Amino acid sequence: MTPHTAPHKNVYRFIAGQADGNGTMKDLLGGKGAGLAEMTLAGLPVPPGFTITTAVCQRYYAAGNQLPADVWEEVLSALREVEAAVGKRFGDASNPLLVSVRSGAKFSMPGMMDTVLNLGLNHTTVQGLIAQTGNERFARDAHRRFIQMFGRIVLGVPGERFDHALEAMKAGRGVRLDTELTAADLQNLVTQFEAIVERETGQPFPADPTNSSAWPSAPFSTRGTASVPWTIAG
């Protein structure tokens, strides 16, 4: 299958056996994005997703650390295609789509790239995850981990703020391991983590996953790199 490589694309999809890019496009898509596109074209079972290009990162810097409006429209369009492919809706209360967002580079850089998991979780969609999995503890833990990752990577909250709250919770419960905390404990941590974000940033934690402010545009600058692609997958 020949990939579609129209000029000036901000978002390159890899969905349902079709991909806009290919394995030769590491400069534009990074190693992850190019690899996922190539595997999709080869017919391998790749979760549907899309990559925001290195060129967008450069435009982000040029615009004063703001995501260009046309990029957000392409992101929303690609997200609708991912929703259709997996049969879930982003932000839906009963059948939520959760996505991972991973930074990339042309070459492998272990320990240097950032990842945000479970983008799409909030106090509403976590109820859908509980209903789907039948495991409240799992869902509450995923929610608190999402706030921790997003707060640290996207919003710039020092990671030790969350670590201290977690350790204090375990000490208060008389346990040693994270896995010994209950669903109620983890829900308590969600509330604490959101309070930490608001205290550190002066703004409430973004609750609407369909709003562009809830998406990781800020991580383009977290590592000080010139151009970082971001790959989003369902």
Side-chain angles (χ1 to χ4, degrees), residues 14 16-17 36 38-48 234:
F14 48 93
L36 288 166
E38 190 68 22
M39 289 189 292
T40 299
L41 293 172
L44 296 176
V46 177

Side-chain angles (χ1 to χ4, degrees), residues 49-131:
F50 53 92
T51 300
I52 303 173
T53 69
T54 56
V56 171
C57 181
Q58 294 165 351
R59 291 179 60 199
Y60 170 86
Y61 281 130
N65 292 1
Q66 296 294 321
L67 190 68
D70 64 311
V71 175
W72 181 238
E73 291 304 315
E74 286 191 44
V75 167
L76 290 179
S77 176
L79 186 61
R80 298 289 89 84
E81 292 187 40
V82 172
E83 289 177 335
V86 300
K88 297 179 180 290
R89 290 295 302 273
F90 197 67
D92 187 88
S94 60
N95 189 30
L97 170 66
L98 306 178
V99 299
S100 63
V101 186
R102 303 178 186 274
S103 62
K106 181 176 181 179
F107 303 105
S108 177
M109 300 171 65
M112 293 298 292
M113 296 289 101
D114 287 316
T115 297
V116 176
L117 300 176
N118 296 318
L119 182 66
L121 271 179
N122 58 25
H123 290 284
T124 299
T125 58
V126 74
Q127 298 298 329
L129 185 60
I130 292 170

Side-chain angles (χ1 to χ4, degrees), residues 181-197:
L181 295 174
T182 66
D185 295 335
L186 295 166
Q187 174 59 19
N188 191 329
L189 277 175
V190 165
T191 301
Q192 291 186 43
F193 282 9
E194 289 179 330
I196 289 169
V197 168

Side-chain angles (χ1 to χ4, degrees), residues 1-2 8 11 45 52 55 68 83 95 101-102 115 117 121 143 151 153 159 170 173 179 185 193 198 201-202 221 234:
M1 182 183 299
T2 302
H8 309 303
V11 173
I52 303 173
E83 289 177 335
N95 189 30
V101 186
R102 303 178 186 274
T115 297
L117 300 176
L121 271 179
H143 192 190
I153 295 169
K170 289 191 291 186
R173 294 293 181 267
T179 52
D185 295 335
F193 282 9
E198 186 162 5
T201 67
S221 60

